[in-house]
Amino acid sequence: MTVLAETSERGLRKLTLSVRRPGENVPAVVWLPDSDAARWPAVLLSHGGGLHKEARYITRLAERLVRDLGCAAVAIDQPYHGERTPPGERGLTPLERRSRIGLDAWRARNSSATAQAVDDWQATIDAVRGLGAGEAAPFGYFGLSLGTRFGIPLTAVEPRITCAVFGLFGHPGAGDVDAAGFAEATRQITVPVLFLMQWDDELFPRDGGLALFDRLGSARKTLHANPGSHTQIPPPEMVSMIGFFRRQFRGGDQASTD
Amino acid sequence: MTVLAETSERGLRKLTLSVRRPGENVPAVVWLPDSDAARWPAVLLSHGGGLHKEARYITRLAERLVRDLGCAAVAIDQPYHGERTPPGERGLTPLERRSRIGLDAWRARNSSATAQAVDDWQATIDAVRGLGAGEAAPFGYFGLSLGTRFGIPLTAVEPRITCAVFGLFGHPGAGDVDAAGFAEATRQITVPVLFLMQWDDELFPRDGGLALFDRLGSARKTLHANPGSHTQIPPPEMVSMIGFFRRQFRGGDQASTD
C-alpha cells in the first residue's frame, strides 16, 4: 500500500492510496476521524455502475460516517471504473458508456469482474487494517446496484464484514455470468442488511428486487422502498443508512431503539 | 367534551377525556407537553384489532412523541374496542375474541364500523383543537392493521391530517363490506406516508401489503418491510416513525436529511 496524498479539513482526514495487487493496483480513498483512535469501525463504500470512488453520493456518505459516527470510510475504483476505466471509455458519462457498449454487454462485463472486485476489496480491508484499525474493528459495507452485484459475493465470503446496505439490484440479477453463484451467495448472507429499492426502477424490475430481499439469508433485514427511478433515492434514506450503521456498530439492531 | 382525569409526570400531561357524540361518547386520552404552548402538532394514535387506547405500544409511542418531538398525541377506544367492547367479549384477549367470533365475522364487523370510526376521529380532532391546538396546527396519523382499515378512509376525507403511518393491512383488504370504497380512498391519499409491512405476516399476505402500498396516491411514500409475523415489528421502526413525524412537522421530507 502506498499513501499518495493526505489532506485534513475540519476534523476529517483523507488519504489517497494505491493498494498493491498482482497485476493492477487498486486506487483507494480513506476518510478518517482526525484523531489517534487506534480502533474504529470502517464502512466500505462501493460505487455504482459507471461511477467512481469519489462520486458525489459516496463522498457525502463518507463525510457523514466520519463526522456523525466517528467511523472510517473507504472507497475504491472498482474494475473498469474510475482510474481503471478502459481508454476508449474515458471522459464519457455512465449513460454514454452503457450505450456505447450495450446494456447486456455492460452487465456481462461487470458480472465477469466479480471475483476481481472481491479480491480488490479483501486486499483493501487488509490495507485499511494496516492503517491502524484494531484487529477486532468491524467493517460495514455500502453498495447499491453494481455495489450490490459485487457486495453480496464479497459479504458471503468475508467474515470481517458485519453489516451491509444493499439494493437497486435484483434476483435473478442482470447479465450474470454466474447466476447460480450469486443466488447461492445471497442465501449465505447472515449479517444485518438494510435493502433499498426504488419502486419504479427502470433498470431492475420491482419483482426482482423483492425476490432478492426475500432470498437474503439474514434474520435481521429491512426493506426500504420509495417511489421513483433508479437514482432517485430520497434524502431521508441517508438518515436511515447512518442510523443503520450506528445501531450495528453499537451492538446490534435489537439492542436499542435510539 | 368532558375531562375525566388529569395527571402530570416528568413534563408529560395526560388527560382522560370523553368526547361527546350522538349515541355513544368516545373515550379518549391526550398526552401533552407540560407547557403552555398554544400550538403543537398532534398525532392521532389508532390502536390495532382487539386492543385499546392505552395498549402498550400506543402509550410508548405517545410518550416518545411528546418527549422527543414536543407533539401532542391522542388515542381513542375505537368502535367495539376498549371501554366500547361488547359485554360478552370483555376480559378476553384479542385472540380469544377473534376465535369466539370467527376471523371473517370479526373482520366484517370491524369493516362495518369504518364510518363510525371516521366520525369518532373527526369529533376527537375537534375536541383536541378545543384543548389549545392552534387552528393551523397539523395532525399526523398513526394506525396499523385495524388502524389502517380506519385510517385510510379517514385520511382520504380529513384535510387536517397532513401525514400518516399505515401498514399491516392489504389490498384487497380483509372482510371489507365496502372494498371499492376502501380502494378508492387509498387512491385519494396524497399526504406523505410511512407504510410498515411484516414480511411473514400471517394475517395479511405479502402481495396484498405490497399492492396496498402501490395503490396509495401519495407521491411521497416509503415502504419499510421486516421479517417476522404480524406483531413482530422490530424496535428500530419506532425510531423510523419518530423520524418520519419529525421531518413532516418540520416542513416536509424533501427539506432536510436530518
PDB file of all heavy atoms in Angstrom, chain A residues 5-42:
ATOM      1  N   ALA A   5      -1.401  10.745  -1.140  1.00  0.00           N
ATOM      2  CA  ALA A   5      -1.709  12.121  -0.726  1.00  0.00           C
ATOM      3  C   ALA A   5      -2.471  12.073   0.582  1.00  0.00           C
ATOM      4  O   ALA A   5      -3.133  11.081   0.893  1.00  0.00           O
ATOM      5  CB  ALA A   5      -2.546  12.822  -1.795  1.00  0.00           C
ATOM      6  N   GLU A   6      -2.370  13.136   1.349  1.00  0.00           N
ATOM      7  CA  GLU A   6      -3.120  13.229   2.603  1.00  0.00           C
ATOM      8  C   GLU A   6      -3.558  14.664   2.807  1.00  0.00           C
ATOM      9  O   GLU A   6      -2.770  15.593   2.648  1.00  0.00           O
ATOM     10  CB  GLU A   6      -2.252  12.762   3.785  1.00  0.00           C
ATOM     11  CG  GLU A   6      -2.965  12.950   5.110  1.00  0.00           C
ATOM     12  CD  GLU A   6      -2.301  12.220   6.277  1.00  0.00           C
ATOM     13  OE1 GLU A   6      -1.318  11.483   6.065  1.00  0.00           O
ATOM     14  OE2 GLU A   6      -2.784  12.400   7.413  1.00  0.00           O
ATOM     15  N   THR A   7      -4.835  14.844   3.147  1.00  0.00           N
ATOM     16  CA  THR A   7      -5.339  16.175   3.475  1.00  0.00           C
ATOM     17  C   THR A   7      -6.094  16.075   4.792  1.00  0.00           C
ATOM     18  O   THR A   7      -6.477  14.987   5.214  1.00  0.00           O
ATOM     19  CB  THR A   7      -6.296  16.718   2.397  1.00  0.00           C
ATOM     20  OG1 THR A   7      -7.437  15.840   2.318  1.00  0.00           O
ATOM     21  CG2 THR A   7      -5.622  16.802   1.039  1.00  0.00           C
ATOM     22  N   SER A   8      -6.313  17.216   5.424  1.00  0.00           N
ATOM     23  CA  SER A   8      -7.085  17.245   6.660  1.00  0.00           C
ATOM     24  C   SER A   8      -7.906  18.528   6.666  1.00  0.00           C
ATOM     25  O   SER A   8      -7.385  19.599   6.366  1.00  0.00           O
ATOM     26  CB  SER A   8      -6.148  17.201   7.865  1.00  0.00           C
ATOM     27  OG  SER A   8      -6.914  17.163   9.053  1.00  0.00           O
ATOM     28  N   GLU A   9      -9.186  18.397   6.949  1.00  0.00           N
ATOM     29  CA  GLU A   9     -10.057  19.577   6.913  1.00  0.00           C
ATOM     30  C   GLU A   9     -11.152  19.412   7.946  1.00  0.00           C
ATOM     31  O   GLU A   9     -11.896  18.437   7.913  1.00  0.00           O
ATOM     32  CB  GLU A   9     -10.673  19.703   5.511  1.00  0.00           C
ATOM     33  CG  GLU A   9     -11.431  20.998   5.312  1.00  0.00           C
ATOM     34  CD  GLU A   9     -12.117  21.051   3.948  1.00  0.00           C
ATOM     35  OE1 GLU A   9     -11.673  20.345   3.020  1.00  0.00           O
ATOM     36  OE2 GLU A   9     -13.113  21.790   3.835  1.00  0.00           O
ATOM     37  N   ARG A  10     -11.222  20.334   8.857  1.00  0.00           N
ATOM     38  CA  ARG A  10     -12.271  20.360   9.876  1.00  0.00           C
ATOM     39  C   ARG A  10     -12.487  18.969  10.511  1.00  0.00           C
ATOM     40  O   ARG A  10     -13.584  18.444  10.518  1.00  0.00           O
ATOM     41  CB  ARG A  10     -13.586  20.868   9.282  1.00  0.00           C
ATOM     42  CG  ARG A  10     -13.515  22.349   8.855  1.00  0.00           C
ATOM     43  CD  ARG A  10     -14.884  22.894   8.453  1.00  0.00           C
ATOM     44  NE  ARG A  10     -15.444  22.166   7.333  1.00  0.00           N
ATOM     45  CZ  ARG A  10     -16.641  21.585   7.300  1.00  0.00           C
ATOM     46  NH1 ARG A  10     -17.428  21.654   8.339  1.00  0.00           N
ATOM     47  NH2 ARG A  10     -17.052  20.928   6.238  1.00  0.00           N
ATOM     48  N   GLY A  11     -11.423  18.380  10.994  1.00  0.00           N
ATOM     49  CA  GLY A  11     -11.548  17.138  11.743  1.00  0.00           C
ATOM     50  C   GLY A  11     -11.651  15.888  10.905  1.00  0.00           C
ATOM     51  O   GLY A  11     -11.851  14.795  11.424  1.00  0.00           O
ATOM     52  N   LEU A  12     -11.502  16.036   9.596  1.00  0.00           N
ATOM     53  CA  LEU A  12     -11.644  14.890   8.699  1.00  0.00           C
ATOM     54  C   LEU A  12     -10.358  14.723   7.883  1.00  0.00           C
ATOM     55  O   LEU A  12      -9.967  15.620   7.134  1.00  0.00           O
ATOM     56  CB  LEU A  12     -12.849  15.137   7.780  1.00  0.00           C
ATOM     57  CG  LEU A  12     -13.361  13.980   6.938  1.00  0.00           C
ATOM     58  CD1 LEU A  12     -14.853  14.168   6.650  1.00  0.00           C
ATOM     59  CD2 LEU A  12     -12.619  13.869   5.613  1.00  0.00           C
ATOM     60  N   ARG A  13      -9.698  13.585   8.074  1.00  0.00           N
ATOM     61  CA  ARG A  13      -8.504  13.283   7.273  1.00  0.00           C
ATOM     62  C   ARG A  13      -8.897  12.495   6.045  1.00  0.00           C
ATOM     63  O   ARG A  13      -9.779  11.633   6.114  1.00  0.00           O
ATOM     64  CB  ARG A  13      -7.528  12.423   8.072  1.00  0.00           C
ATOM     65  CG  ARG A  13      -6.722  13.173   9.102  1.00  0.00           C
ATOM     66  CD  ARG A  13      -6.011  12.174   9.999  1.00  0.00           C
ATOM     67  NE  ARG A  13      -4.964  11.442   9.298  1.00  0.00           N
ATOM     68  CZ  ARG A  13      -4.504  10.235   9.682  1.00  0.00           C
ATOM     69  NH1 ARG A  13      -5.017   9.645  10.739  1.00  0.00           N
ATOM     70  NH2 ARG A  13      -3.553   9.630   8.996  1.00  0.00           N
ATOM     71  N   LYS A  14      -8.228  12.740   4.955  1.00  0.00           N
ATOM     72  CA  LYS A  14      -8.492  11.988   3.731  1.00  0.00           C
ATOM     73  C   LYS A  14      -7.164  11.516   3.153  1.00  0.00           C
ATOM     74  O   LYS A  14      -6.270  12.327   2.900  1.00  0.00           O
ATOM     75  CB  LYS A  14      -9.221  12.886   2.727  1.00  0.00           C
ATOM     76  CG  LYS A  14      -9.535  12.212   1.418  1.00  0.00           C
ATOM     77  CD  LYS A  14     -10.265  13.170   0.484  1.00  0.00           C
ATOM     78  CE  LYS A  14     -10.072  12.743  -0.957  1.00  0.00           C
ATOM     79  NZ  LYS A  14     -10.561  13.763  -1.902  1.00  0.00           N
ATOM     80  N   LEU A  15      -7.051  10.225   2.974  1.00  0.00           N
ATOM     81  CA  LEU A  15      -5.844   9.634   2.403  1.00  0.00           C
ATOM     82  C   LEU A  15      -6.175   9.079   1.022  1.00  0.00           C
ATOM     83  O   LEU A  15      -7.172   8.375   0.855  1.00  0.00           O
ATOM     84  CB  LEU A  15      -5.338   8.481   3.269  1.00  0.00           C
ATOM     85  CG  LEU A  15      -5.117   8.738   4.750  1.00  0.00           C
ATOM     86  CD1 LEU A  15      -4.645   7.453   5.444  1.00  0.00           C
ATOM     87  CD2 LEU A  15      -4.089   9.845   4.935  1.00  0.00           C
ATOM     88  N   THR A  16      -5.332   9.390   0.071  1.00  0.00           N
ATOM     89  CA  THR A  16      -5.450   8.772  -1.252  1.00  0.00           C
ATOM     90  C   THR A  16      -4.386   7.681  -1.334  1.00  0.00           C
ATOM     91  O   THR A  16      -3.209   7.933  -1.060  1.00  0.00           O
ATOM     92  CB  THR A  16      -5.237   9.820  -2.355  1.00  0.00           C
ATOM     93  OG1 THR A  16      -6.148  10.901  -2.121  1.00  0.00           O
ATOM     94  CG2 THR A  16      -5.501   9.219  -3.724  1.00  0.00           C
ATOM     95  N   LEU A  17      -4.841   6.480  -1.639  1.00  0.00           N
ATOM     96  CA  LEU A  17      -3.964   5.309  -1.554  1.00  0.00           C
ATOM     97  C   LEU A  17      -3.880   4.565  -2.880  1.00  0.00           C
ATOM     98  O   LEU A  17      -4.771   4.678  -3.725  1.00  0.00           O
ATOM     99  CB  LEU A  17      -4.523   4.299  -0.537  1.00  0.00           C
ATOM    100  CG  LEU A  17      -4.829   4.742   0.871  1.00  0.00           C
ATOM    101  CD1 LEU A  17      -5.473   3.576   1.642  1.00  0.00           C
ATOM    102  CD2 LEU A  17      -3.558   5.182   1.564  1.00  0.00           C
ATOM    103  N   SER A  18      -2.849   3.783  -2.991  1.00  0.00           N
ATOM    104  CA  SER A  18      -2.796   2.760  -4.034  1.00  0.00           C
ATOM    105  C   SER A  18      -2.566   1.427  -3.331  1.00  0.00           C
ATOM    106  O   SER A  18      -1.560   1.253  -2.634  1.00  0.00           O
ATOM    107  CB  SER A  18      -1.652   3.068  -5.011  1.00  0.00           C
ATOM    108  OG  SER A  18      -1.590   2.062  -6.002  1.00  0.00           O
ATOM    109  N   VAL A  19      -3.528   0.542  -3.444  1.00  0.00           N
ATOM    110  CA  VAL A  19      -3.414  -0.769  -2.800  1.00  0.00           C
ATOM    111  C   VAL A  19      -2.734  -1.713  -3.780  1.00  0.00           C
ATOM    112  O   VAL A  19      -3.248  -1.955  -4.875  1.00  0.00           O
ATOM    113  CB  VAL A  19      -4.805  -1.302  -2.407  1.00  0.00           C
ATOM    114  CG1 VAL A  19      -4.698  -2.703  -1.785  1.00  0.00           C
ATOM    115  CG2 VAL A  19      -5.511  -0.344  -1.446  1.00  0.00           C
ATOM    116  N   ARG A  20      -1.553  -2.236  -3.394  1.00  0.00           N
ATOM    117  CA  ARG A  20      -0.773  -3.080  -4.311  1.00  0.00           C
ATOM    118  C   ARG A  20      -1.450  -4.419  -4.546  1.00  0.00           C
ATOM    119  O   ARG A  20      -1.869  -5.087  -3.617  1.00  0.00           O
ATOM    120  CB  ARG A  20       0.629  -3.325  -3.736  1.00  0.00           C
ATOM    121  CG  ARG A  20       1.527  -2.160  -3.964  1.00  0.00           C
ATOM    122  CD  ARG A  20       3.006  -2.527  -3.958  1.00  0.00           C
ATOM    123  NE  ARG A  20       3.713  -1.281  -3.622  1.00  0.00           N
ATOM    124  CZ  ARG A  20       4.047  -0.947  -2.383  1.00  0.00           C
ATOM    125  NH1 ARG A  20       3.838  -1.762  -1.379  1.00  0.00           N
ATOM    126  NH2 ARG A  20       4.644   0.200  -2.151  1.00  0.00           N
ATOM    127  N   ARG A  21      -1.555  -4.759  -5.819  1.00  0.00           N
ATOM    128  CA  ARG A  21      -2.148  -6.036  -6.199  1.00  0.00           C
ATOM    129  C   ARG A  21      -1.305  -6.645  -7.306  1.00  0.00           C
ATOM    130  O   ARG A  21      -0.721  -5.916  -8.106  1.00  0.00           O
ATOM    131  CB  ARG A  21      -3.577  -5.821  -6.750  1.00  0.00           C
ATOM    132  CG  ARG A  21      -4.527  -5.189  -5.785  1.00  0.00           C
ATOM    133  CD  ARG A  21      -4.903  -6.135  -4.648  1.00  0.00           C
ATOM    134  NE  ARG A  21      -5.602  -7.298  -5.175  1.00  0.00           N
ATOM    135  CZ  ARG A  21      -5.409  -8.550  -4.752  1.00  0.00           C
ATOM    136  NH1 ARG A  21      -4.525  -8.799  -3.817  1.00  0.00           N
ATOM    137  NH2 ARG A  21      -6.089  -9.551  -5.258  1.00  0.00           N
ATOM    138  N   PRO A  22      -1.246  -7.958  -7.373  1.00  0.00           N
ATOM    139  CA  PRO A  22      -0.611  -8.569  -8.549  1.00  0.00           C
ATOM    140  C   PRO A  22      -1.406  -8.135  -9.777  1.00  0.00           C
ATOM    141  O   PRO A  22      -2.633  -8.186  -9.750  1.00  0.00           O
ATOM    142  CB  PRO A  22      -0.757 -10.076  -8.313  1.00  0.00           C
ATOM    143  CG  PRO A  22      -1.453 -10.254  -7.012  1.00  0.00           C
ATOM    144  CD  PRO A  22      -1.865  -8.922  -6.471  1.00  0.00           C
ATOM    145  N   GLY A  23      -0.743  -7.718 -10.804  1.00  0.00           N
ATOM    146  CA  GLY A  23      -1.475  -7.251 -11.988  1.00  0.00           C
ATOM    147  C   GLY A  23      -1.714  -5.762 -11.914  1.00  0.00           C
ATOM    148  O   GLY A  23      -0.879  -4.966 -12.346  1.00  0.00           O
ATOM    149  N   GLU A  24      -2.824  -5.367 -11.292  1.00  0.00           N
ATOM    150  CA  GLU A  24      -3.252  -3.970 -11.331  1.00  0.00           C
ATOM    151  C   GLU A  24      -3.480  -3.448  -9.918  1.00  0.00           C
ATOM    152  O   GLU A  24      -4.272  -4.028  -9.176  1.00  0.00           O
ATOM    153  CB  GLU A  24      -4.567  -3.899 -12.125  1.00  0.00           C
ATOM    154  CG  GLU A  24      -5.066  -2.507 -12.417  1.00  0.00           C
ATOM    155  CD  GLU A  24      -6.433  -2.565 -13.121  1.00  0.00           C
ATOM    156  OE1 GLU A  24      -7.125  -3.598 -13.031  1.00  0.00           O
ATOM    157  OE2 GLU A  24      -6.803  -1.567 -13.739  1.00  0.00           O
ATOM    158  N   ASN A  25      -2.807  -2.370  -9.530  1.00  0.00           N
ATOM    159  CA  ASN A  25      -3.053  -1.786  -8.209  1.00  0.00           C
ATOM    160  C   ASN A  25      -4.457  -1.177  -8.151  1.00  0.00           C
ATOM    161  O   ASN A  25      -5.044  -0.834  -9.172  1.00  0.00           O
ATOM    162  CB  ASN A  25      -2.007  -0.727  -7.893  1.00  0.00           C
ATOM    163  CG  ASN A  25      -0.632  -1.354  -7.675  1.00  0.00           C
ATOM    164  OD1 ASN A  25      -0.517  -2.576  -7.469  1.00  0.00           O
ATOM    165  ND2 ASN A  25       0.402  -0.549  -7.743  1.00  0.00           N
ATOM    166  N   VAL A  26      -4.979  -1.055  -6.927  1.00  0.00           N
ATOM    167  CA  VAL A  26      -6.346  -0.564  -6.742  1.00  0.00           C
ATOM    168  C   VAL A  26      -6.307   0.852  -6.164  1.00  0.00           C
ATOM    169  O   VAL A  26      -5.828   1.050  -5.042  1.00  0.00           O
ATOM    170  CB  VAL A  26      -7.134  -1.498  -5.794  1.00  0.00           C
ATOM    171  CG1 VAL A  26      -8.554  -0.969  -5.584  1.00  0.00           C
ATOM    172  CG2 VAL A  26      -7.148  -2.913  -6.343  1.00  0.00           C
ATOM    173  N   PRO A  27      -6.821   1.834  -6.899  1.00  0.00           N
ATOM    174  CA  PRO A  27      -6.882   3.200  -6.364  1.00  0.00           C
ATOM    175  C   PRO A  27      -7.940   3.264  -5.261  1.00  0.00           C
ATOM    176  O   PRO A  27      -9.053   2.760  -5.437  1.00  0.00           O
ATOM    177  CB  PRO A  27      -7.315   4.046  -7.564  1.00  0.00           C
ATOM    178  CG  PRO A  27      -7.160   3.157  -8.769  1.00  0.00           C
ATOM    179  CD  PRO A  27      -7.324   1.752  -8.280  1.00  0.00           C
ATOM    180  N   ALA A  28      -7.583   3.872  -4.141  1.00  0.00           N
ATOM    181  CA  ALA A  28      -8.492   3.897  -2.988  1.00  0.00           C
ATOM    182  C   ALA A  28      -8.433   5.248  -2.292  1.00  0.00           C
ATOM    183  O   ALA A  28      -7.449   5.986  -2.415  1.00  0.00           O
ATOM    184  CB  ALA A  28      -8.123   2.793  -2.003  1.00  0.00           C
ATOM    185  N   VAL A  29      -9.506   5.557  -1.581  1.00  0.00           N
ATOM    186  CA  VAL A  29      -9.552   6.746  -0.734  1.00  0.00           C
ATOM    187  C   VAL A  29     -10.053   6.310   0.640  1.00  0.00           C
ATOM    188  O   VAL A  29     -10.987   5.506   0.736  1.00  0.00           O
ATOM    189  CB  VAL A  29     -10.505   7.817  -1.306  1.00  0.00           C
ATOM    190  CG1 VAL A  29     -10.613   9.006  -0.355  1.00  0.00           C
ATOM    191  CG2 VAL A  29     -10.023   8.283  -2.660  1.00  0.00           C
ATOM    192  N   VAL A  30      -9.410   6.802   1.684  1.00  0.00           N
ATOM    193  CA  VAL A  30      -9.860   6.527   3.045  1.00  0.00           C
ATOM    194  C   VAL A  30     -10.160   7.854   3.734  1.00  0.00           C
ATOM    195  O   VAL A  30      -9.356   8.790   3.659  1.00  0.00           O
ATOM    196  CB  VAL A  30      -8.774   5.769   3.851  1.00  0.00           C
ATOM    197  CG1 VAL A  30      -9.267   5.490   5.268  1.00  0.00           C
ATOM    198  CG2 VAL A  30      -8.395   4.483   3.142  1.00  0.00           C
ATOM    199  N   TRP A  31     -11.341   7.931   4.348  1.00  0.00           N
ATOM    200  CA  TRP A  31     -11.706   9.100   5.153  1.00  0.00           C
ATOM    201  C   TRP A  31     -11.664   8.655   6.619  1.00  0.00           C
ATOM    202  O   TRP A  31     -12.219   7.597   6.969  1.00  0.00           O
ATOM    203  CB  TRP A  31     -13.110   9.576   4.827  1.00  0.00           C
ATOM    204  CG  TRP A  31     -13.300  10.113   3.433  1.00  0.00           C
ATOM    205  CD1 TRP A  31     -13.239  11.424   3.049  1.00  0.00           C
ATOM    206  CD2 TRP A  31     -13.642   9.372   2.252  1.00  0.00           C
ATOM    207  NE1 TRP A  31     -13.508  11.551   1.701  1.00  0.00           N
ATOM    208  CE2 TRP A  31     -13.762  10.298   1.182  1.00  0.00           C
ATOM    209  CE3 TRP A  31     -13.841   8.007   1.970  1.00  0.00           C
ATOM    210  CZ2 TRP A  31     -14.079   9.918  -0.122  1.00  0.00           C
ATOM    211  CZ3 TRP A  31     -14.151   7.626   0.670  1.00  0.00           C
ATOM    212  CH2 TRP A  31     -14.262   8.570  -0.356  1.00  0.00           C
ATOM    213  N   LEU A  32     -11.030   9.477   7.461  1.00  0.00           N
ATOM    214  CA  LEU A  32     -10.813   9.088   8.867  1.00  0.00           C
ATOM    215  C   LEU A  32     -11.136  10.238   9.795  1.00  0.00           C
ATOM    216  O   LEU A  32     -10.935  11.400   9.426  1.00  0.00           O
ATOM    217  CB  LEU A  32      -9.325   8.770   9.097  1.00  0.00           C
ATOM    218  CG  LEU A  32      -8.708   7.552   8.459  1.00  0.00           C
ATOM    219  CD1 LEU A  32      -7.196   7.651   8.587  1.00  0.00           C
ATOM    220  CD2 LEU A  32      -9.215   6.320   9.179  1.00  0.00           C
ATOM    221  N   PRO A  33     -11.572   9.924  11.009  1.00  0.00           N
ATOM    222  CA  PRO A  33     -11.635  10.998  12.009  1.00  0.00           C
ATOM    223  C   PRO A  33     -10.213  11.488  12.277  1.00  0.00           C
ATOM    224  O   PRO A  33      -9.268  10.695  12.271  1.00  0.00           O
ATOM    225  CB  PRO A  33     -12.203  10.306  13.248  1.00  0.00           C
ATOM    226  CG  PRO A  33     -12.710   8.977  12.799  1.00  0.00           C
ATOM    227  CD  PRO A  33     -11.963   8.617  11.561  1.00  0.00           C
ATOM    228  N   ASP A  34     -10.043  12.764  12.492  1.00  0.00           N
ATOM    229  CA  ASP A  34      -8.724  13.352  12.718  1.00  0.00           C
ATOM    230  C   ASP A  34      -8.323  13.161  14.177  1.00  0.00           C
ATOM    231  O   ASP A  34      -8.210  14.111  14.935  1.00  0.00           O
ATOM    232  CB  ASP A  34      -8.785  14.840  12.361  1.00  0.00           C
ATOM    233  CG  ASP A  34      -7.394  15.446  12.293  1.00  0.00           C
ATOM    234  OD1 ASP A  34      -6.409  14.688  12.387  1.00  0.00           O
ATOM    235  OD2 ASP A  34      -7.315  16.677  12.149  1.00  0.00           O
ATOM    236  N   SER A  35      -8.151  11.915  14.561  1.00  0.00           N
ATOM    237  CA  SER A  35      -7.753  11.614  15.935  1.00  0.00           C
ATOM    238  C   SER A  35      -6.917  10.350  15.900  1.00  0.00           C
ATOM    239  O   SER A  35      -6.823   9.684  14.873  1.00  0.00           O
ATOM    240  CB  SER A  35      -8.985  11.413  16.821  1.00  0.00           C
ATOM    241  OG  SER A  35      -9.633  10.211  16.444  1.00  0.00           O
ATOM    242  N   ASP A  36      -6.310  10.021  17.039  1.00  0.00           N
ATOM    243  CA  ASP A  36      -5.428   8.862  17.058  1.00  0.00           C
ATOM    244  C   ASP A  36      -6.118   7.604  17.539  1.00  0.00           C
ATOM    245  O   ASP A  36      -5.463   6.676  18.004  1.00  0.00           O
ATOM    246  CB  ASP A  36      -4.216   9.160  17.960  1.00  0.00           C
ATOM    247  CG  ASP A  36      -3.299  10.182  17.304  1.00  0.00           C
ATOM    248  OD1 ASP A  36      -3.248  10.191  16.055  1.00  0.00           O
ATOM    249  OD2 ASP A  36      -2.650  10.953  18.028  1.00  0.00           O
ATOM    250  N   ALA A  37      -7.438   7.569  17.457  1.00  0.00           N
ATOM    251  CA  ALA A  37      -8.147   6.370  17.892  1.00  0.00           C
ATOM    252  C   ALA A  37      -7.530   5.150  17.209  1.00  0.00           C
ATOM    253  O   ALA A  37      -7.392   5.115  15.996  1.00  0.00           O
ATOM    254  CB  ALA A  37      -9.628   6.485  17.539  1.00  0.00           C
ATOM    255  N   ALA A  38      -7.144   4.181  18.000  1.00  0.00           N
ATOM    256  CA  ALA A  38      -6.487   3.005  17.439  1.00  0.00           C
ATOM    257  C   ALA A  38      -7.497   2.042  16.813  1.00  0.00           C
ATOM    258  O   ALA A  38      -7.141   1.186  16.035  1.00  0.00           O
ATOM    259  CB  ALA A  38      -5.698   2.284  18.525  1.00  0.00           C
ATOM    260  N   ARG A  39      -8.754   2.193  17.166  1.00  0.00           N
ATOM    261  CA  ARG A  39      -9.772   1.269  16.664  1.00  0.00           C
ATOM    262  C   ARG A  39     -10.984   2.078  16.230  1.00  0.00           C
ATOM    263  O   ARG A  39     -11.527   2.846  17.000  1.00  0.00           O
ATOM    264  CB  ARG A  39     -10.234   0.319  17.779  1.00  0.00           C
ATOM    265  CG  ARG A  39      -9.188  -0.651  18.233  1.00  0.00           C
ATOM    266  CD  ARG A  39      -9.605  -1.191  19.582  1.00  0.00           C
ATOM    267  NE  ARG A  39     -10.933  -1.769  19.479  1.00  0.00           N
ATOM    268  CZ  ARG A  39     -11.185  -3.069  19.590  1.00  0.00           C
ATOM    269  NH1 ARG A  39     -10.221  -3.901  19.834  1.00  0.00           N
ATOM    270  NH2 ARG A  39     -12.414  -3.521  19.491  1.00  0.00           N
ATOM    271  N   TRP A  40     -11.406   1.889  15.026  1.00  0.00           N
ATOM    272  CA  TRP A  40     -12.688   2.447  14.609  1.00  0.00           C
ATOM    273  C   TRP A  40     -13.309   1.481  13.636  1.00  0.00           C
ATOM    274  O   TRP A  40     -12.619   0.770  12.912  1.00  0.00           O
ATOM    275  CB  TRP A  40     -12.568   3.809  13.957  1.00  0.00           C
ATOM    276  CG  TRP A  40     -11.215   4.195  13.466  1.00  0.00           C
ATOM    277  CD1 TRP A  40     -10.405   5.138  14.009  1.00  0.00           C
ATOM    278  CD2 TRP A  40     -10.510   3.663  12.344  1.00  0.00           C
ATOM    279  NE1 TRP A  40      -9.239   5.223  13.307  1.00  0.00           N
ATOM    280  CE2 TRP A  40      -9.277   4.333  12.283  1.00  0.00           C
ATOM    281  CE3 TRP A  40     -10.772   2.688  11.395  1.00  0.00           C
ATOM    282  CZ2 TRP A  40      -8.320   4.058  11.299  1.00  0.00           C
ATOM    283  CZ3 TRP A  40      -9.822   2.413  10.419  1.00  0.00           C
ATOM    284  CH2 TRP A  40      -8.619   3.090  10.380  1.00  0.00           C
ATOM    285  N   PRO A  41     -14.630   1.423  13.626  1.00  0.00           N
ATOM    286  CA  PRO A  41     -15.257   0.659  12.556  1.00  0.00           C
ATOM    287  C   PRO A  41     -15.045   1.414  11.242  1.00  0.00           C
ATOM    288  O   PRO A  41     -14.865   2.635  11.241  1.00  0.00           O
ATOM    289  CB  PRO A  41     -16.749   0.658  12.927  1.00  0.00           C
ATOM    290  CG  PRO A  41     -16.876   1.430  14.184  1.00  0.00           C
ATOM    291  CD  PRO A  41     -15.588   2.111  14.473  1.00  0.00           C
ATOM    292  N   ALA A  42     -15.068   0.694  10.162  1.00  0.00           N
ATOM    293  CA  ALA A  42     -14.930   1.319   8.841  1.00  0.00           C
ATOM    294  C   ALA A  42     -16.029   0.789   7.933  1.00  0.00           C
ATOM    295  O   ALA A  42     -16.417  -0.369   8.023  1.00  0.00           O
ATOM    296  CB  ALA A  42     -13.564   1.008   8.245  1.00  0.00           C
TER     297      ALA A  42
END
